[in-house]
Amino acid sequence: MNSDSSVTGDIKATSSGVENVVYSKPTKRARAGRHCRKWWWAWLLGFCVFVVVIVVIIVYAIIPAVAQKKINETELEVHSFEIRDPTPESFVVSLNATITGGGGIASNAHLDAMDVVLFIEGHDPIQPIMTLPVDAIDGGDSIPVIRKDYKVEIKNEGALDEFSKLLMDSETFRVAMRGRTKLSLGSIHTHIDYNEVVTLKGLNHLEGMIIKSYELLLEDDFNMGGQVLIPNPSVFSVQMGDVNLAIALGEETLGTGVIPNLILTPGNNDSRR
């Protein structure tokens, strides 16, 4: 006789006086209980594997995606960009900017220091104009990004020439920035890409420049001097050196003017010779 406790039976009497035992089928709950008692270790192992899979998905897929999305939502506003001390091999850059849009959960994040490559938007592969190191950043609604007196070695003259032409000739132009660093949020760490494109005002051919006054000179090299107003609608301060200007009256060329050691700053610039 089967002694399994999960099987039940009823005893019935017959006309011959012999007892028959009729066994009933175990219930689903009974069978499930017996299965769990027998295979509990397999269920525990499966649960542990499930938890590990979920944690891996969160750490390596969901968290990086959320962190990247928050970084992509930020915006960079450039307040000033200074270019000075130019030589054939290098120049010096100072940058003052602000990153906004990093509030909410991102306000508790920390970004490690990174190198940011600047290039003209639309080039594939990119043609770096310069690479600027950016210090470590803590999250917030308004994050200052300041780099002072950084010497840039010229490594791509073609890209720098294109940037200079766009700066001089354009009303507006777009500069892209790219970097990669580690983001930390408490004990959670992940790597993110910093991709930003900013629209900047250019010098627009120095449109609006006027000669405010002039006078005749009795000098060997120059026979006329004067005062020139040069507007600069951009955020750029540029040490331009000696600038040669073609001076004309209508269609008749009068000569060439020279503005020595011109340093163009944002706003209206008065230069006298």
Side-chain angles (χ1 to χ4, degrees), residues 147-189:
R147 171 58 60 183
K148 292 185 178 180
D149 303 332
Y150 179 73
K151 185 176 182 180
V152 176
E153 301 292 337
I154 298 175
K155 297 181 179 180
N156 190 328
E157 293 184 3
L160 184 60
D161 288 344
E162 182 181 6
F163 170 77
S164 301
K165 187 175 187 304
L166 286 172
L167 174 60
M168 178 59 68
D169 297 342
S170 303
E171 184 174 352
T172 62
F173 64 104
R174 289 167 65 82
V175 174
M177 304 179 186
R178 182 176 297 174
R180 184 168 176 80
T181 187
K182 184 174 73 174
L183 180 146
S184 300
L185 184 61
S187 59
I188 299 173
H189 309 282

Side-chain angles (χ1 to χ4, degrees), residues 2-174:
N2 192 339
S3 61
D4 194 327
S5 61
S6 63
V7 179
T8 61
D10 296 329
I11 301 176
K12 296 183 179 180
T14 65
S15 59
S16 60
V18 180
E19 294 183 345
N20 291 333
V21 180
V22 180
Y23 294 98
S24 62
K25 187 177 180 180
T27 64
K28 291 183 177 179
R29 177 176 297 181
R31 292 199 304 271
R34 184 176 61 178
H35 175 82
C36 291
R37 286 193 297 272
K38 183 177 180 180
W39 299 101
W40 65 267
W41 57 271
W43 282 100
L44 178 61
L45 180 61
F47 176 76
C48 292
V49 171
F50 173 78
V51 170
V52 170
V53 170
I54 294 300
V55 169
V56 168
I57 292 174
I58 292 175
V59 172
Y60 290 99
I62 297 178
I63 291 177
V66 171
Q68 187 65 62
K69 182 176 182 294
K70 295 302 294 183
I71 291 297
N72 293 343
E73 290 174 352
T74 64
E75 295 183 0
L76 180 72
E77 181 181 358
V78 179
H79 306 299
S80 66
F81 199 122
E82 182 182 6
I83 303 173
R84 59 179 177 81
D85 297 339
T87 71
E89 294 80 27
S90 66
F91 53 93
V92 175
V93 167
S94 293
L95 172 68
N96 183 0
T98 301
I99 295 176
T100 58
I105 189 173
S107 61
N108 299 315
H110 173 85
L111 293 180
D112 286 358
M114 63 178 164
D115 290 334
V116 175
V117 177
L118 278 69
F119 58 98
I120 301 300
E121 184 189 32
H123 286 290
D124 186 19
I126 66 174
Q127 301 294 322
I129 304 166
M130 65 186 79
T131 300
L132 293 179
V134 176
D135 294 334
I137 296 173
D138 291 318
D141 292 326
S142 181
I143 307 167
V145 179
I146 299 174
R147 171 58 60 183
K148 292 185 178 180
D149 303 332
Y150 179 73
K151 185 176 182 180
V152 176
E153 301 292 337
I154 298 175
K155 297 181 179 180
N156 190 328
E157 293 184 3
L160 184 60
D161 288 344
E162 182 181 6
F163 170 77
S164 301
K165 187 175 187 304
L166 286 172
L167 174 60
M168 178 59 68
D169 297 342
S170 303
E171 184 174 352
T172 62
F173 64 104
R174 289 167 65 82

